[in-house]
Amino acid sequence: MSLDIPRVCGVQRENNIPEGVLVPGSQPYQVTSCFDESTQNSLKSTLIEVRGVSKSFRIQQASFCVFEGLNLAIEEGSFVSIVGPSGCGKSTLLKVIAGLQRPTSGSVFFKGEPVTKPPANMIYLFQQYPKSVFPWRTVWQNVLFGIEDKKDLDRGEIQERGRKYLALVGLQGNETLYPSQLSGGMQQRLAIARALACEPEVVLMDEPFSAVDALTRMKLQQLLLEIWDRVNITVIFVTHDVEEAALLSRRVIALTRTPAIIDKDLRIDLPYPRNHLTTREDPRFGSYRRELLQSIFQAESM
Amino acid sequence: MREKWPGITLISILLAGWEVLVRSGMIDTPSLPPVSLIFIAWYQAVISGELIGHLLPSLQRIAIGYSLAIAVAVPLGLLMGSIKLVYSLFEPLTELIRPIPSAAYVPMAILFFGIGNEMKVFVIFLACIWPILLNTYGAVRGIDPVLVETGRTFGYSHAKVLRKVVFPSILPEIFTGMRVSLGIALIVVVVAEMIAGNNGIGYFILDRQRFFRVAAMIAGIFTLGIVGYALNWVFLRFEGYVLRWRQTSGS
């Protein structure tokens, strides 16, 4: 088996070997895809592995290939964004990882196990949050949705979790309201709290902030940064907004137009904790943004 | 209450007009007694317990037949909506039986069940199933996939998603079907009681007509209006309580 670009990256990170160094018996590292390993603080194991995944849809008689032979290794505790031109299959890829859609070929491994149905420790957050939070449940009932039947939790623990994660997203005091009484930003925070209440290992977010106004989006991005800082989770984040990707994530994967392949696998080497003011002023932020935009513009113009 | 006054006024004017037209001789037929006589006959039928004695069996038949219809139609509709095989199995059958007017199978039902309660309950049951069934499986088939996938991503099985997500989300559509069926139940019980039997509000009306007690007959018809209104009122209260989350938007 030949080592493909992102896999090399994963291997390299695990071994903590600087860019461009050759390891005996292995292939040369491909410079375009790799990180500067010197700031990598700890050795993290691979949590999710996408191996040779292809997805095509049949539209009438024709078969339409969304992406083909994608390989990706995502390590525990990371924050990875997937960007790309519209319609490049970012969301489809996320759904395949979540086990909500089956790949046409290849497979996704979560902690070494092939994903055949949605794993309980992996929560998918939908872009269309007004449809995703349950209108017939109050805020409190919504936040308990994923944990209310858990056998290993007693009533007190369930309530405690509900309180904790509502407070984390700043929704305490709104328990008895129905989603229709909440603003868009509050509904999305509720969806986040409901996901976190399950204490998942992975949260998959599909353009979660694309439907709110600009100010709310900035607040939610800040909230997500704080949550990721405080809660031990791996986040895979799909967005069409390269600035959002650069601001939030540790690693950004840029896809090409369909049939999509990985165009860039970029490490965002900006210090945490990040915020809208200082992070955006960092000159490196500008260059990441530029590099990602170039990738997308290039893909769009093809 | 304020918005009801114009309607109540109109009803009063119509009743008064009826009274005047009949009393003045402008309408002169034994088929249409003045309203005052109808109210007297109505009062007598209530006081004697006669009307209640016929109304209660009818309400009981509706209650049983209607509940059975809900108990069958909702689960079957959920299965038809979520499992393709069940859908393709039952859908043609449904489409064939559904258009048959329920009065048409009363004679058949008499052969099987006689002229007693069972026949009437069966006919109500059969007539009430379709609106609920159609609304249920239609709603399940048209459900937003985001809702189902949200349930799935929390690791719940298909059966659990059906119970915890699909069912509550389509309750408004189920209630719409139930409300249609409730009206049908009232129609069907009257028809069935008129065709066969010796009690019930349908029988009461037909019997008064046969013996030309026109005022009492019309009192029976008025009673059906009141009963239909009351059933719908209770139903809307119940629906409003169960679906209270729908009334909170915009606040």
Side-chain angles (χ1 to χ4, degrees):
Chain A
M1 169 186 135
S2 68
L3 291 173
D4 46 74
I5 293 165
R7 285 275 294 156
V8 172
C9 231
V11 169
Q12 190 184 19
R13 297 190 69 178
E14 278 167 31
N15 296 338
N16 219 5
I17 297 162
E19 199 174 273
V21 174
L22 283 172
V23 175
S26 80
Q27 294 189 354
Y29 294 94
Q30 308 199 15
V31 178
T32 53
S33 69
C34 285
F35 309 132
D36 172 13
E37 290 302 313
S38 54
T39 53
Q40 183 67 28
N41 44 14
S42 61
L43 298 175
K44 291 276 175 74
S45 60
T46 298
L47 190 63
I48 296 166
E49 202 185 340
V50 174
R51 212 183 280 168
V53 163
S54 306
K55 180 78 185 175
S56 44
F57 292 109
R58 291 200 71 82
I59 299 171
Q60 285 150 6
Q61 298 302 310
S63 174
F64 174 75
C65 178
V66 190
F67 43 79
E68 198 161 5
L70 281 190
N71 292 291
L72 200 56
I74 289 161
E75 61 276 357
E76 202 181 332
S78 58
F79 196 131
V80 181
S81 284
I82 302 171
V83 298
S86 28
C88 75
K90 311 183 283 282
S91 300
T92 309
L93 175 60
L94 202 64
K95 282 197 175 172
V96 168
I97 293 173
L100 290 169
Q101 283 190 17
R102 302 296 296 271
T104 312
S105 65
S107 27
V108 175
F109 294 85
F110 177 48
K111 296 200 281 188
E113 297 285 322
V115 173
T116 53
K117 62 182 173 72
N121 286 331
M122 201 193 266
I123 307 282
Y124 187 99
L125 266 166
F126 287 86
Q127 179 184 7
Q128 308 97 317
Y129 53 85
K131 296 181 192 166
S132 175
V133 292
F134 300 125
W136 60 90
R137 284 175 171 250
T138 60
V139 167
W140 180 246
Q141 291 166 335
N142 259 292
V143 81
L144 296 186
F145 175 77
I147 52 174
E148 62 198 2
D149 297 339
K150 280 209 170 140
K151 302 259 181 330
D152 52 333
L153 293 175
D154 65 40
R155 275 182 76 103
E157 287 171 310
I158 290 170
Q159 309 246 322
E160 181 51 42
R161 281 229 203 149
R163 273 193 294 274
K164 178 177 164 191
Y165 289 100
L166 273 188
L168 189 68
V169 301
L171 278 178
Q172 70 277 32
N174 296 296
E175 286 83 354
T176 58
L177 296 183
Y178 285 99
S180 57
Q181 296 168 296
L182 304 179
S183 69
M186 287 165 95
Q187 290 182 23
Q188 187 60 299
R189 279 188 277 153
L190 176 58
I192 293 171
R194 184 179 60 184
L196 293 177
C198 298
E199 305 199 331
E201 291 172 72
V202 185
V203 176
L204 307 171
M205 303 179 107
D206 181 14
E207 302 195 21
F209 308 143
S210 59
V212 291
D213 63 85
L215 193 63
T216 307
R217 187 179 313 138
M218 283 163 93
K219 286 182 189 162
L220 287 169
Q221 286 164 345
Q222 194 64 47
L223 176 72
L224 183 59
L225 280 171
E226 282 161 23
I227 288 169
W228 185 69
D229 187 44
R230 272 197 258 173
V231 182
N232 182 30
I233 45 168
T234 306
V235 178
I236 307 179
F237 192 97
V238 161
T239 179
H240 59 262
D241 179 350
V242 296
E243 292 193 22
E244 182 175 59
L247 175 74
L248 298 175
S249 26
R250 192 178 265 186
R251 176 181 172 196
V252 181
I253 289 154
L255 298 180
T256 64
R257 217 174 52 154
T258 53
I261 54 163
I262 294 173
D263 180 48
K264 279 207 163 61
D265 189 341
L266 202 67
R267 185 191 155 117
I268 306 295
D269 197 9
L270 297 168
Y272 285 94
R274 297 182 187 172
N275 65 56
H276 278 281
L277 299 176
T278 56
T279 308
R280 280 177 186 273
E281 280 167 0
D282 194 310
R284 286 171 293 178
F285 181 82
S287 61
Y288 290 132
R289 176 181 166 275
R290 183 192 177 85
E291 191 171 348
L292 290 169
L293 270 180
Q294 270 174 344
S295 160
I296 288 182
F297 288 160
Q298 195 189 349
E300 292 267 12
S301 65
M302 276 194 302
Chain B
M1 196 59 204
R2 174 163 288 181
E3 71 217 18
K4 297 218 161 154
W5 283 115
I8 291 170
T9 311
L10 178 64
I11 292 168
S12 312
I13 291 172
L14 287 175
L15 288 175
W18 177 345
E19 182 77 17
V20 168
L21 285 175
V22 176
R23 290 275 179 198
S24 66
M26 290 172 79
I27 295 174
D28 185 17
T29 159
S31 305
L32 197 70
V35 181
S36 50
L37 290 186
I38 294 169
F39 277 99
I40 291 167
W42 202 357
Y43 177 75
Q44 283 167 346
V46 172
I47 289 296
S48 64
E50 212 183 353
L51 194 58
I52 301 294
H54 284 288
L55 193 56
L56 282 181
S58 300
L59 289 177
Q60 192 192 16
R61 286 160 192 155
I62 289 176
I64 300 171
Y66 182 61
S67 308
L68 282 175
I70 295 170
V72 170
V74 172
L76 184 60
L78 285 171
L79 288 178
M80 281 178 73
S82 45
I83 303 171
K84 278 210 179 77
L85 179 65
V86 182
Y87 178 79
S88 33
L89 197 63
F90 282 98
E91 200 264 347
L93 189 68
T94 310
E95 289 304 314
L96 273 180
I97 303 178
R98 192 171 63 90
I100 303 173
S102 35
Y105 39 74
V106 174
M108 178 90 177
I110 292 175
L111 293 180
F112 277 89
F113 298 103
I115 61 165
N117 269 330
E118 293 86 348
M119 178 274 280
K120 284 147 203 162
V121 166
F122 173 77
V123 175
I124 295 167
F125 163 75
L126 206 53
C128 287
I129 277 186
W130 313 114
I132 306 174
L133 186 66
L134 247 71
N135 271 282
T136 306
Y137 76 66
V140 178
R141 285 170 69 85
I143 196 170
D144 196 313
V146 169
L147 280 175
V148 177
E149 289 186 343
T150 300
R152 296 276 294 143
T153 191
F154 282 89
Y156 288 126
S157 64
H158 285 290
K160 216 154 186 195
V161 170
L162 197 63
R163 184 170 67 74
K164 285 176 80 99
V165 179
V166 176
F167 176 67
S169 82
I170 62 155
L171 262 182
E173 285 88 348
I174 294 179
F175 268 98
T176 304
M178 279 165 59
R179 196 162 69 234
V180 174
S181 285
L182 190 60
I184 291 175
L186 196 61
I187 296 171
V188 169
V189 76
V190 169
V191 170
E193 287 166 351
M194 282 180 171
I195 295 175
N198 51 20
N199 66 0
I201 188 73
Y203 171 83
F204 176 92
I205 292 169
L206 194 68
D207 182 69
R208 299 313 179 260
Q209 187 253 358
R210 279 182 186 142
F211 293 95
F212 220 72
R213 293 167 62 189
V214 181
M217 178 193 81
I218 297 176
I221 296 171
F222 282 6
T223 305
L224 278 174
I226 306 269
V227 168
Y229 181 84
L231 285 177
N232 198 52
W233 186 85
V234 171
F235 185 91
L236 289 179
R237 282 297 160 114
F238 177 62
E239 182 185 29
Y241 172 73
V242 175
L243 304 179
R244 57 193 175 281
W245 52 270
R246 283 207 306 183
Q247 295 158 356
T248 53
S249 55
S251 66

